[in-house]
Amino acid sequence: MPRIAMVCDFFYPRIGGVENHIYSLSQNLIRLGHKVIIVTHAYGNRKGVRYLPGPLKVYYCPILPMTDQDVMPTFLATFPLLRHIFIRERIDIVHAHQATSTMANESIVYAAALGVASVYTDHSLFGFDDLASTILNRVLQTTLSTVDAAIGVSHVCRDNLILRARLDPNRVFVIPNAVDPSKFSPDPSQRRRDRVTIVVISRLVYRKGIDLLVGIIPKVCRELKHVHFLVGGDGPKLLDLQEMVERERLQERVEFLGSVPHANVRNVLVRGDIFLNCSLTESFCIAILEAACCGLLVVSTNVGGVPEVLPVDMIMLSNPTVVSMVNCVRKAVQVDRTDAVAYEQHQRIRDVYSWERVAEETILVYEKVLCQPRRGFLERMSCYQSLNGITGFVVCCLALIVEAWVRIVERWQPFHQIDKVPDLNTRIQSNGVQHLN
């Protein structure tokens, strides 16, 4: 069984789609018999080695975040620490997540230098016409030059990643997200029968379409007197929503729940009839999957990979405009959905989306990359040189520096002097218990 290191800046106690994906995938890989560790940066007082249920071992490295829980690019400063972890845990595969994670990008470069297989999973869509995306795409082209395989959470995400990082399509796979159906079961008794409740749960930021929501809520409330809104989440756009409610005098029609812990999301969803997603860009959107699993009818913007997630009888898609979204909500309110439909919808989601399936498909990717020969120094230089132009020349110079630093660290921390964590068989035998194969 391969030993896997999941590397990302974004992990618990931060809550989000990427964090949930890493945790759920890791738990199911452990259930299938794999050794999995998480490598992330320190979160406040959460430093050092911690254990989550599974048991899932988490290395909270003493690296300070720069902004949005993303660490400052260090180029080589984190290499000795990550190398020590990879060797100590006898890691076979480094699985990095999310393009904006500095630790993820650096770990792919380190894995190639150490001769360790690497896999990358992309969770978001990025454009090509703004400065931030252009720089990020160029960085991704560099770091993914030596990656053995890449995964997109939707077909749109896969196509976007191939174009941004200029990857060989044969090395990029699609493995959708999933949901734990046991944690998102319907409960029609929690719904108000005298009104229609629309639930919104998301980070209150621009990308999630909160500006659209500010325009949608007043129009819907004016037209449909029996509709109420539940808004869960926090973020910089919360003030805009609160000002709109004060201005339109909708205090009795809109309830703000604040930040909702993921463990309580289901309790909020089952209070609603319709789930409203106003995102301006989404590669998959686990939130609409969780809502559908709780039996809600989903109304969402028709962006990114959203149309791939749910069948047409579970979701109503709209253009990302206020007028179009209001029309879509009006139609959704008129749909008559019985309690039996909610339970049937839950069962269909259970049959299609499961983390066990995601883990099994990910293992197939692991098996493919482990069968590939590891790249030597000259092969890696050839990959970096393929970037062409000044970029290729600069990256090759940086690769030479990385190789020199690897040699220095190897003399400073010899491989044989790093204490390795014994495997399960060794631990059992050391405790005087005979292991039976």
Side-chain angles (χ1 to χ4, degrees):
M1 291 287 187
R3 302 169 72 92
I4 304 113
M6 302 282 183
V7 184
C8 186
D9 281 298
F10 314 121
F11 193 64
Y12 179 82
R14 174 179 161 132
I15 301 298
V18 177
E19 296 83 354
N20 181 57
H21 180 104
I22 296 172
Y23 177 81
S24 301
L25 174 59
S26 299
Q27 292 289 354
N28 282 274
L29 288 172
I30 291 172
R31 292 192 188 102
L32 294 173
H34 292 74
K35 168 67 177 180
V36 183
I37 67 168
I38 307 292
V39 182
T40 186
H41 65 74
Y43 278 82
N45 294 327
R46 188 174 288 270
K47 302 176 182 177
V49 179
R50 301 289 185 97
Y51 285 87
L52 297 178
L56 177 59
K57 191 175 187 179
V58 184
Y59 283 87
Y60 288 97
C61 301
I63 309 170
L64 294 177
M66 178 180 59
T67 179
D68 193 28
Q69 294 301 331
D70 206 353
V71 302
M72 181 178 295
T74 62
F75 182 49
L76 291 174
T78 56
F79 174 73
L81 177 58
L82 293 187
R83 173 183 176 271
H84 187 98
I85 293 173
F86 295 159
I87 294 176
R88 185 173 189 272
E89 297 287 346
R90 294 178 294 145
I91 296 301
D92 300 303
I93 298 173
V94 172
H95 191 161
H97 294 260
Q98 192 64 342
T100 54
S101 170
T102 301
M103 291 187 71
N105 282 282
E106 291 181 348
S107 69
I108 295 172
V109 176
Y110 298 160
L114 294 171
V116 178
S118 60
V119 176
Y120 167 75
T121 295
D122 203 27
H123 297 266
S124 301
L125 302 177
F126 292 93
F128 304 88
D129 55 352
D130 61 284
L131 181 60
S133 295
T134 300
I135 294 174
L136 180 62
N137 294 344
R138 205 59 173 166
V139 170
L140 208 60
Q141 289 175 27
T142 301
T143 57
L144 297 189
S145 296
T146 56
V147 77
D148 295 295
I151 298 171
V153 294
S154 66
H155 289 86
V156 169
C157 182
R158 175 183 181 271
D159 295 342
N160 181 259
L161 177 61
I162 291 172
L163 292 174
R164 287 161 47 218
R166 299 181 183 178
L167 294 175
D168 178 2
N170 294 320
R171 292 194 291 135
V172 186
F173 305 89
V174 177
I175 302 179
N177 277 311
V179 65
D180 185 348
S182 64
K183 296 179 180 178
F184 293 92
S185 57
D187 186 2
S189 65
Q190 298 297 316
R191 298 178 184 172
R192 290 280 298 271
R193 302 296 179 176
D194 59 335
R195 68 188 191 189
V196 175
T197 303
I198 298 177
V199 179
V200 179
I201 301 181
S202 76
R203 293 192 300 276
L204 304 182
V205 296
Y206 171 77
R207 187 178 72 83
K208 292 297 183 177
I210 304 306
D211 292 329
L212 282 178
L213 188 62
V214 169
I216 292 168
I217 291 177
K219 292 181 180 296
V220 170
C221 289
R222 279 196 295 267
E223 293 185 23
L224 306 169
K225 302 299 183 182
H226 63 300
V227 171
H228 288 67
F229 285 84
L230 285 179
V231 180
D234 199 0
K237 290 291 184 177
L238 175 60
L239 182 59
D240 294 348
L241 283 171
Q242 291 174 333
E243 289 178 346
M244 176 272 296
V245 170
E246 292 288 340
R247 183 173 60 252
E248 302 290 338
R249 299 181 181 179
L250 297 174
Q251 291 87 346
E252 301 298 323
R253 307 282 298 278
V254 181
E255 180 181 349
F256 290 102
L257 304 177
S259 180
V260 180
H262 193 261
N264 296 336
V265 168
R266 181 259 179 188
N267 296 333
V268 176
L269 289 174
V270 295
R271 295 172 58 189
D273 302 279
I274 297 170
F275 182 81
L276 181 60
N277 173 52
C278 301
S279 295
L280 301 180
T281 174
E282 286 286 358
S283 59
F284 184 87
C285 193
I286 294 181
I288 65 173
L289 192 59
E290 294 172 345
C293 198
C294 288
L296 278 70
L297 177 62
V298 176
V299 174
S300 175
T301 48
N302 185 7
V303 297
V306 170
E308 302 178 29
V309 180
L310 296 171
V312 293
D313 60 321
M314 296 185 189
I315 187 170
M316 301 181 71
L317 298 172
S318 165
N319 293 327
T321 65
V322 172
V323 174
S324 181
M325 290 292 289
V326 170
N327 291 335
C328 202
V329 169
R330 187 187 301 114
K331 295 177 182 177
V333 169
Q334 296 172 355
V335 175
D336 184 20
R337 291 169 61 84
T338 64
D339 295 348
V341 171
Y343 286 106
E344 178 190 358
Q345 184 169 296
H346 172 80
Q347 187 59 47
R348 289 167 63 190
I349 296 292
R350 176 189 288 271
D351 294 339
V352 175
Y353 290 102
S354 70
W355 285 112
E356 292 83 358
R357 177 193 55 78
V358 172
E360 290 169 357
E361 293 185 13
T362 304
I363 289 172
L364 295 178
V365 176
Y366 291 161
E367 291 173 350
K368 290 182 180 180
V369 302
L370 288 175
C371 292
Q372 301 172 10
R374 304 276 72 80
R375 294 184 179 89
F377 173 68
L378 293 180
E379 290 178 289
R380 297 200 305 276
M381 291 295 289
S382 177
C383 291
Y384 293 134
Q385 194 175 16
S386 66
L387 296 172
N388 299 324
I390 296 178
T391 301
F393 174 76
V394 171
V395 172
C396 284
C397 292
L398 296 176
L400 289 172
I401 298 174
V402 171
E403 192 68 18
W405 182 234
V406 170
R407 298 290 178 259
I408 293 171
V409 174
E410 285 178 347
R411 292 183 64 87
W412 173 36
Q413 286 183 342
F415 182 89
H416 62 277
Q417 291 185 5
I418 298 177
D419 294 331
K420 301 174 185 63
V421 176
D423 59 20
L424 180 60
N425 294 355
T426 304
R427 290 201 298 270
I428 292 175
Q429 292 172 358
S430 66
N431 290 333
V433 179
Q434 184 179 4
H435 176 69
L436 299 177
N437 290 321

